[in-house]
Amino acid sequence: MNIAETAQKLRAGDRRALARAITLVESTRPQDRAKAADLLATLGTDRQALRIGLSGTPGVGKSTFIEAFGTMLTGQGKRVAVLAVDPSSTRSGGSILGDKTRMDDLARDPHAFIRPSPSQTQLGGVARRTREAIALCEAAGFDVVIIETVGVGQSETAVAEMSDLFLLLLAPAGGDELQGVKRGIMETCDMILVNKADGDLKAQAMRTRADYAGALRLLRKRARDSEGFPKALAVSALERGGIEKAWGEMQALATWRQEQGIWDARRAEQARFWFHEEVRAGLLAHLTADAQVKARLATLEDAVAAGQTPPAAAAQALISALFPAKA
Amino acid sequence: MNIAETAQKLRAGDRRALARAITLVESTRPQDRAKAADLLATLGTDRQALRIGLSGTPGVGKSTFIEAFGTMLTGQGKRVAVLAVDPSSTRSGGSILGDKTRMDDLARDPHAFIRPSPSQTQLGGVARRTREAIALCEAAGFDVVIIETVGVGQSETAVAEMSDLFLLLLAPAGGDELQGVKRGIMETCDMILVNKADGDLKAQAMRTRADYAGALRLLRKRARDSEGFPKALAVSALERGGIEKAWGEMQALATWRQEQGIWDARRAEQARFWFHEEVRAGLLAHLTADAQVKARLATLEDAVAAGQTPPAAAAQALISALFPAKA
């Protein structure tokens, strides 16, 4: 791949160049990593999109919502990219998402770009690739980048840390239904959308929305929420109801944050966070590239696993062995 | 502190020695860290307790449950230690737990030891200190160590990774009540206990229990669950109902795992996990102890925050500067 040529095509909005560039940043081969870094540096960061994270458990209608929301945005002339973070569950051994995501209308839309999730088990890797894919989409001139995730522990945290706005999509709550929310995510999200406000579920969706609105008022007051935020809104992805209102609220919050300087401060804070993550992971990867260090790590790991050495003491032993001069 | 003497007293079950030792492992001063490592190595790992993690959002009755469960265990002649992980919320800026935990009966019980959570903001630090406090309680001859946490993101994951059995305590679900569960935790927990199965809430607790039992059957089949597990049970911490049954089920699962070799394999896997965490954190701490490295890190961090350098490229630049010979 010619980096300069790819960068030029990508900035001109060439979708195949974008797709190839995302494949490059998804690669874990060292030479590809170097090329990816080169490409990202060449592209620069002068173009920015609104980054919207969307979390929700399977079955709440994330794909249908993205289809409705994305189509509305492209109808307004906006260019929309959709990325997915789908961590394979290390515990259950397979993908958490059941069916493959379907967004037929949006997939055919010339103003939209949909990229399924790379199948990787290591979350750190997924997070980096997704952040870099976001940067590529921004350089390609997309106005809105939607990052979809299932609501499972660390992947949700990771997506929140790379989004300007983090939305939580929920189904109407019923007496015999499990609600997929806990306090941590109520603290993190910027907006709650209760989906399925249509047909038989409409009244229930409205009640659920009111419950969440109340809970949000009770639980939160953050510096980055303008007056009246965070909000809980009812939408119908199926009937495409409430979507424009939700978009209006997103824009209102985004504008307020930009005016307050909160927007840039948050992006800077997120970049610092990811830098530290990269340094931690990179140090370990760099050091264990040495066969001797790797062997030493394995020996210590076995001693720890056998209960012969506490984890902290073993880690200290490794670090002392690595840096004898400084020890 | 004389390490050999403290170790001897602690192994003899001296509570003041245990309390002082926990204070030592909670210290972040380098000389205390060295002493703590020394003490842990001296104590060894020949004594083991059943480590029970307990998670639940504020208000579900964790303290009342621990009081009832712990008192039942001490009544059977068992020695019980209770540790708490209470991460200060970085987002809301204060402690998540509202009122101070109250376990009056258990606190006065000579067979019980209750240690409140250290007030630390850095989760990695809290996790290490809690793991080391568990090791101290085991060396002091406690039979059961209960680790309590509020159900918030990473602290819950950390406690699950240091427990033999991880329990989720829930309140009966109502139409206008938020349920504190999401799929990630349903995948992690070993048992769900629906509390408040008493008085007016009893029927609702029973329905909720049945709902969770159904959801667990649908969602899960893990190698470390014996036939019929994970279970959802109803308990009343207030009336001390269902507690003995729950303990019976915990013992049944524990025994089955021990017989299958799953128990030891899991402890080994957890130790490996914490070792890697310690190495990552330790490497960064070691390197940034050097003023030049720290300054370089700060410069790169600023460039990343300003959007001039992508996080991965900046991390690579730092690592290359640190290890020029190998680069």
Side-chain angles (χ1 to χ4, degrees), chain A residues 45 89 91 156 161 178-179 181-182 187 212 271-272 276 282-284 286-287 301-302 304 307 319 323, chain B residues 45 89 91 156 161 178-179 181-182 187 212 215 271-272 276 279 282-283 286-287 301-302 304 307 319 323:
Chain A
T45 56
S89 169
R91 302 210 176 267
E156 196 165 58
E161 284 289 347
L178 307 180
Q179 269 301 294
V181 176
K182 47 179 203 172
E187 293 202 343
Y212 282 114
R272 282 177 205 271
H276 278 265
L283 279 173
L284 194 61
H286 176 87
L287 292 167
E301 194 181 297
D302 289 345
V304 167
I319 291 161
F323 305 101
Chain B
T45 57
S89 168
R91 301 211 176 267
E156 198 165 56
E161 283 291 347
L178 307 180
Q179 269 302 294
V181 176
K182 48 180 204 174
E187 291 203 342
Y212 282 114
R272 281 176 206 272
H276 279 265
V279 170
L283 279 173
H286 177 88
L287 292 166
E301 194 182 296
D302 289 345
V304 167
I319 291 163
F323 305 100

Side-chain angles (χ1 to χ4, degrees), chain B residues 83-124:
Chain B
L83 307 171
V85 175
D86 169 18
S88 299
S89 168
T90 48
R91 301 211 176 267
S92 61
S95 171
I96 286 167
L97 289 178
D99 295 338
K100 200 97 192 87
T101 304
R102 286 177 195 285
M103 296 175 242
D104 290 341
D105 288 355
L106 206 58
R108 279 192 303 266
D109 192 322
H111 287 94
F113 176 86
I114 300 177
R115 180 80 177 192
S117 165
S119 54
Q120 295 286 336
T121 51
Q122 201 206 338
L123 183 72

Side-chain angles (χ1 to χ4, degrees), chain A residues 128-143:
Chain A
R128 174 201 282 166
R129 283 185 277 284
T130 307
R131 279 184 296 119
E132 293 181 347
I134 292 171
L136 295 173
C137 292
E138 292 189 322
F142 284 90
D143 303 296

